[in-house]
Amino acid sequence: MRHQRSPKASIAEERKAPSFPIRELTYWLDGGKDVTELKERIMLELERDPLWRVSDHPNLTLAETRERAMKKIRRLADQATSRPLEETMVRMGIISVVDPGFWTRFGVHFGLFFGALQGQATPAQLAYWMERGAFTMQGVTGCFGMTELGHGSNVAGLETMATYDQNTDEFVVHSPTLTATKWWIGGAAHTATHCAVYAQLIVGGKRYGTKTFVVQLRDTKTFELMPGVNIGDLGKKMGRDQIDNGWIRFTHVRIPRSHMLMKHTKVLRSGEVIEPPLAQLAYGALIQGRVSMVSDSANVAKRALTIATRYAGVRRQFSDGTANALETKLLDYPIHQHRLLPLMAQTFAMVFAAREMTVNYQQLMAQLSDLGEAKGAAADDAIKNLKETHATSAGLKAFCTWMCLNIIDQCRQSLGGHGYSAYTGLSQAYSDFAVHCTWEGDNTILTLQCGRYLVATALEARKGQPLPANLAYLQGAVSKSGA
């Protein structure tokens, strides 16, 4: 009988003599000892809370999955409003890996709906919605109504209309065509009471482009649909069934003029439209989703590689033929190392890219916040940074999400036949993550946007304009000879 060794003993063997200080490296990657200890405390809380168990996920029905997600929302909403913001952000980062479907459900309200209020409402408007429970989810549960059946990446082409009625001081929100139906709207099917609706602003018969309007979908007490609002459930999806994606159609729905978010473009009672001198600055807040997905890619890839590497450290196949000899660990085969270690290197590259991208985005938002109504050199510099951050986030979002999806599948394959089991967590991880390649901008379109920016920047540099610091590598391309 061939000698065997338990999985625990095998993995302990791998860990007993590392060539680097594991704990110190962990502190450095997390951003400090305090952050690591906070993460470990939160992980222990989740591990011991039956509400966060994941072992039975493959066996839950669609209804059971959504019901459990709603229980988690209540739990997390209470924690988010009672704990320090820094702790909440760390907790959300962990949950995005543990239960990405729930994270999306929760994030639709706090990240997208509330994020739209923060980025596009005036201080008075933000205070108004805060008083009505937009932050605590006590009275207002929001969703984000941008995508339509006929338009996704082409935001300027959205068909939903918001026409100003000066006689009543209201906007009339209307879906004029079938393709104007809001589509894939997370939280709309059963739970959202309000929606941040992206629609064409029309005043006095003139179009002023796509703006954001808060439209009530359901009565907050009876939960009945509001007059003129039709909603349907889009049903089961490839992944992330915790969120109730739905469609919305508006039929001449009237909302107060004050429900248009007016931090940038303003519509007065008289019907006068005041547009900002730099309208494109309003889109700075929309970059946030792409920035977060660079971090998501790194975190989800780390999870997949943790599963695959631990498995390779305990799974044994074949021996040298010596009697009673242990079979060889998968991790000891050079060909298996070649499968996993390059993916690990890619993942660490994503970790550091995500850090840099996040810092750049935060600096941009601070610059835009301080800009106010300023013009001249300050405004020109803000536009330059906005374009650079937009292009960088577009390129990294596409590259990292594609890379992560490949890493998940390569890890699944490295488990051999066991990788096909739903209980490894990798098949569900693939299904849950695949949407990253198409939401917040189709990856192919985003790569074109990034490429267009690079070409335009190189052409401007040939005319004497300075290159941004992170594009210094283009210096050779901007010379006349291209050398």
Side-chain angles (χ1 to χ4, degrees), residues 168-210:
T168 61
D169 196 26
E170 295 173 316
F171 285 106
V172 180
V173 180
H174 183 61
S175 307
T177 64
L178 177 64
T179 51
T181 304
K182 294 297 180 182
W183 203 259
W184 285 125
I185 309 304
H190 301 291
T191 52
T193 60
H194 294 73
C195 183
V197 176
Y198 283 72
Q200 298 289 343
L201 170 63
I202 303 174
V203 179
K206 180 181 177 180
R207 288 178 177 254
Y208 290 87
T210 304

Side-chain angles (χ1 to χ4, degrees), residues 281-313:
L281 297 182
Y283 294 97
L286 299 180
I287 301 174
Q288 181 180 7
R290 296 170 185 173
V291 173
S292 68
M293 276 187 270
V294 180
S295 297
D296 291 343
S297 298
N299 291 333
V300 174
K302 285 191 289 186
R303 175 175 180 256
L305 280 163
T306 298
I307 295 170
T309 306
R310 287 179 177 175
Y311 178 84

Side-chain angles (χ1 to χ4, degrees), residues 287-366:
I287 301 174
Q288 181 180 7
R290 296 170 185 173
V291 173
S292 68
M293 276 187 270
V294 180
S295 297
D296 291 343
S297 298
N299 291 333
V300 174
K302 285 191 289 186
R303 175 175 180 256
L305 280 163
T306 298
I307 295 170
T309 306
R310 287 179 177 175
Y311 178 84
V314 301
R315 176 69 166 174
R316 296 175 180 270
Q317 289 287 284
F318 308 111
S319 71
D320 61 6
T322 306
N324 298 322
L326 281 170
E327 292 186 273
T328 303
K329 296 176 183 177
L330 294 185
L331 195 55
D332 289 337
Y333 286 104
I335 193 171
H336 204 80
Q337 295 171 10
H338 184 72
R339 297 182 78 171
L340 297 180
L341 296 185
L343 304 181
M344 195 173 295
Q346 293 173 14
T347 298
F348 275 104
M350 285 194 286
V351 169
F352 301 127
R355 283 187 182 180
E356 187 70 17
M357 183 72 259
T358 300
V359 170
N360 289 347
Y361 173 73
Q362 291 171 343
Q363 291 174 343
L364 170 68
M365 295 310 295

